[in-house]
Amino acid sequence: MSTTTMTLAKAITAGLDQVLAKNPKSLLIGEDIGRLGGVYRVTDGLIDTYGPDRVVDSPLGEAGIVGSCIGMAIRGYSPIAEIQFDGFVFPAFNQITTQLAKMRARSEGRFGAPVVIRIPYGGGIGSIEHHSESPEALFAHTAGLRIMTPSNAHDAYWMIQQAAECQDPVIFFEPKRRYWLKGEVDTGNPAADAFTAQVIRPGEDATIVTYGPLVPVALAAAEAAREDGRSVEVIDLRSVSPIDFDTITESVEKTGRLIVTHEAPTFGGIGGEIAARISERAFLSLEAPVIRVGGFHMPYPVAKVEEQYLPDIDKVLEALDRSFAY
């Protein structure tokens, strides 16, 4: 048997272990990832196996972490950086969007920058400012970056390995409030290609598209809708850039209704791109407008009221009701 039960966090740990074992040019770098094992203990124990030269505790400086990774990648290494919290990535934003993302184009393909940047993201953990943000749209807007986000342990184990093998830079968003979500991991059966969406619940009457931390919410909403006699299909996007529009289009052509939900604000979010693209590709199949469910267009609120900010089952069900009202 190659199947075992893991939390999502430990699945990433196991995936990183495989990366380090298979590729001697790979290394991890980030704040407190060595002896401490990272804030969420995702890198726990890896320094004991691979030593401080390959599990590197960096100074407190995200721009330096990413800048060092770019230099190492150009010299033939495969670095994997950890950004401690989502809101801490912005000091490195310039390095990522003006250097890392453009390295292949700038060199006319002579060399790339196979760097993976791991970022715990999203809310729901009762944390303070700059610890619960969802900045994926900012990076998706930048050509040259690939963006993955697993929602379950099996995908987490395999997708971090696929990210490490990718020759383009990958932003790997990890849904931190799902770190402790347990699931079956088949270490002998690779996950589907990370850049394809997966239909994780078939349905006939409506489609919910989501990713990362909201996948369990979408599944719960679909189950609640079933009690009302509605058959709802759920798609886990898995990749935010590129987006697998073919899978979404095929589903909407069948169901005629689409709800897109994510934790990030709806304004300027990934849901807007999906809504526009599906309206172009499947307009004649739509029985109602595409409806977006997301956070408000405001700074992430204090922990005391974050439950009012985050999309939940009721908000998704309300969106389904609006769609079926047309």
Side-chain angles (χ1 to χ4, degrees):
M1 287 289 291
S2 59
T3 301
T4 184
T5 301
M6 299 183 193
T7 64
L8 191 149
K10 288 306 175 186
I12 296 173
T13 309
L16 290 171
D17 187 19
Q18 289 294 311
V19 171
L20 292 170
K22 293 176 180 178
N23 182 3
K25 289 287 189 179
S26 65
L27 61 97
L28 313 181
I29 181 171
E31 299 159 11
D32 298 321
I33 69 166
R35 289 299 169 196
L36 182 64
V39 171
Y40 294 102
R41 306 298 186 265
V42 174
T43 54
D44 189 36
L46 295 177
I47 194 172
D48 296 328
T49 303
Y50 300 100
D53 290 337
R54 297 189 65 201
V55 183
V56 181
D57 275 321
S58 72
L60 183 66
E62 287 76 16
I65 293 171
V66 175
S68 297
C69 286
I70 295 171
M72 287 188 284
I74 292 172
R75 296 293 294 177
Y77 290 87
S78 299
I80 301 175
E82 177 181 301
I83 303 298
Q84 206 165 65
F85 289 97
D86 33 54
F88 294 1
V89 72
F90 298 112
F93 193 77
N94 179 56
Q95 290 280 18
I96 295 170
T97 58
T98 67
Q99 304 298 334
L100 181 63
K102 296 174 174 58
M103 199 59 64
R104 185 181 295 278
R106 182 180 298 147
S107 66
E108 296 182 333
R110 290 194 299 275
F111 53 83
V115 175
V116 178
I117 301 176
R118 296 179 41 244
I119 306 176
Y121 81 122
I125 63 168
S127 198
I128 58 175
E129 187 180 22
H130 301 314
H131 290 68
S132 301
E133 299 173 13
S134 298
E136 60 270 21
L138 300 177
F139 296 100
H141 189 70
T142 302
L145 300 175
R146 293 177 181 256
I147 302 172
M148 301 180 186
T149 177
S151 67
N152 60 76
H154 182 74
D155 272 357
Y157 174 78
W158 287 107
M159 286 171 67
I160 190 63
Q161 296 181 64
Q162 293 170 345
E165 293 168 358
C166 184
Q167 292 305 299
D168 292 319
V170 175
I171 311 294
F172 195 83
F173 280 106
E174 301 170 5
K176 68 169 83 74
R177 70 163 153 152
R178 307 301 181 193
Y179 269 149
W180 301 275
L181 181 67
K182 291 184 178 180
E184 294 296 311
V185 177
D186 188 345
T187 57
N189 183 26
D193 178 74
F195 303 111
T196 61
Q198 297 292 299
V199 176
I200 56 175
R201 181 185 176 112
E204 301 294 331
D205 301 328
T207 301
I208 300 176
V209 170
T210 190
Y211 53 87
L214 285 193
V215 168
V217 173
L219 288 170
E223 179 60 24
R226 184 185 66 82
E227 298 175 4
D228 293 330
R230 293 169 175 170
S231 174
V232 177
E233 186 150 292
V234 178
I235 295 177
D236 182 356
L237 212 53
R238 301 171 78 242
S239 170
V240 174
S241 182
I243 292 174
D244 179 3
F245 289 109
D246 289 343
T247 296
I248 303 172
T249 301
E250 182 179 354
S251 177
V252 171
E253 287 175 343
K254 176 179 65 174
T255 67
R257 303 179 191 276
L258 176 60
I259 311 298
V260 187
T261 183
H262 48 62
E263 283 193 16
T266 54
F267 184 85
I270 299 300
E273 176 63 31
I274 295 173
R277 194 70 66 97
I278 295 305
S279 294
E280 292 172 355
R281 296 180 62 162
F283 179 76
L284 295 179
S285 297
L286 286 168
E287 301 290 340
V290 179
I291 298 176
R292 296 169 294 154
V293 181
F296 300 107
H297 192 212
M298 58 175 285
Y300 195 90
V302 295
K304 187 182 296 185
V305 295
E306 71 172 342
E307 291 306 318
Q308 281 73 52
Y309 174 88
L310 291 169
D312 58 12
I313 296 171
D314 289 339
K315 291 178 182 177
V316 176
L317 289 174
E318 188 272 337
L320 282 168
D321 286 341
R322 286 165 52 202
S323 181
F324 280 103
Y326 280 90

